[in-house]
Amino acid sequence: MSVVSAPIPPKKRATVEELLAQMEATGKTLEIIDGEIVEKACDLPEQDASGPSHGFAIAGVMEAVAPFNHSAGSSKNRLGGWWICVNVHLRYPAGEVYEHDLSGFRRESHAERPSQFPVTARPDWVCEVLSDKKRDYVIKPSTLHDAHVPHYWLLDANERILLVHRWSPDGYIVVLRAAAGQTVRAEPFEAIEIQVSELFGDD
């Protein structure tokens, strides 16, 4: 006599309302990853990236791309054309909610600065400073690719390496690998040269 097992019900996915409630209750930075509410990896004490190097890298990238964070043509010294955000929660169609280290939106597509929580507009660029290999190399880029996010940067603050990914139908393509000491033009900000060392807080 064969035994027919009951189908396993689908896992209940966390909601934005639950995320907000837990953030307010705990005061922690939380995300929804694989349908579950989890603490942001760089805030976990067991993560090597929780030290100052992570914060220096975020500040370094923000300073490097700052010339774009203005309206286009507002000054001869400002390239403009982008909204650049630090530590803003973004919600993706699959229900994931990530607080990216940095994200950017082209002003030609987004006339108003994203302001809601979480932001639901698709970013044109995302940057993560490596804090959890599985999340930053696999889970998050998979979600970003499904959402057609054009550009994904990944910085390793310990190894002092920059990887620049470009969206393609079959997956992200690494179009630039660079290390501290090199000078690069990294899309989508290839209009300027970037000293990779400065991304990691070097003068």
Side-chain angles (χ1 to χ4, degrees):
M1 179 178 178
S2 62
V3 178
V4 178
S5 59
I8 300 174
K11 181 176 66 174
K12 180 181 179 298
R13 299 183 64 86
T15 66
V16 171
E17 291 74 21
E18 292 168 337
L19 177 70
L20 269 171
Q22 287 200 29
M23 289 178 63
E24 291 176 357
T26 64
K28 295 180 178 179
T29 302
L30 304 175
E31 302 177 295
I32 297 178
I33 297 180
D34 282 343
E36 297 182 354
I37 296 175
V38 298
E39 190 170 349
K40 188 169 181 178
C42 67
D43 293 335
L44 297 173
E46 64 269 23
Q47 294 293 336
D48 291 337
S50 61
S53 60
H54 190 273
F56 279 122
I58 294 174
V61 176
M62 186 67 225
E63 184 173 358
V65 302
F68 297 89
N69 192 28
H70 304 277
S71 58
S74 59
S75 166
K76 65 180 181 180
N77 296 321
R78 295 177 175 178
L79 296 167
W82 288 76
W83 303 107
I84 306 293
C85 314
V86 178
N87 294 334
V88 171
H89 282 80
L90 275 72
R91 185 180 189 277
Y92 290 94
E96 305 289 86
V97 178
Y98 301 150
E99 189 198 61
H100 296 302
D101 291 326
L102 297 106
S103 52
F105 302 82
R106 292 186 185 272
R107 296 193 185 205
E108 63 187 14
S109 304
H110 306 276
E112 300 294 329
R113 181 174 60 190
S115 59
Q116 73 272 38
F117 181 96
V119 173
T120 56
R122 188 208 72 183
D124 296 291
W125 166 76
V126 161
C127 176
E128 293 284 6
V129 179
L130 181 64
S131 54
D132 180 283
K133 289 185 177 180
K134 182 178 180 181
R135 293 183 190 180
D136 296 332
Y137 275 113
V138 180
I139 297 175
K140 288 187 176 182
S142 177
T143 299
L144 297 179
H145 182 263
D146 288 344
H148 290 221
V149 175
H151 303 281
Y152 174 57
W153 285 18
L154 181 59
L155 280 81
D156 186 329
N158 292 326
E159 298 295 332
R160 296 162 61 80
I161 291 171
L162 165 67
L163 299 177
V164 175
H165 302 77
R166 179 199 301 155
W167 190 93
S168 79
D170 296 326
Y172 277 113
I173 301 170
V174 178
V175 294
L176 176 66
R177 293 180 175 88
Q182 293 181 263
T183 301
V184 299
R185 291 184 180 271
E187 59 183 63
F189 306 112
E190 64 269 30
I192 62 172
E193 290 187 340
I194 294 175
Q195 304 287 335
V196 177
S197 297
E198 293 180 357
L199 298 179
F200 301 106
D202 295 351
D203 290 334

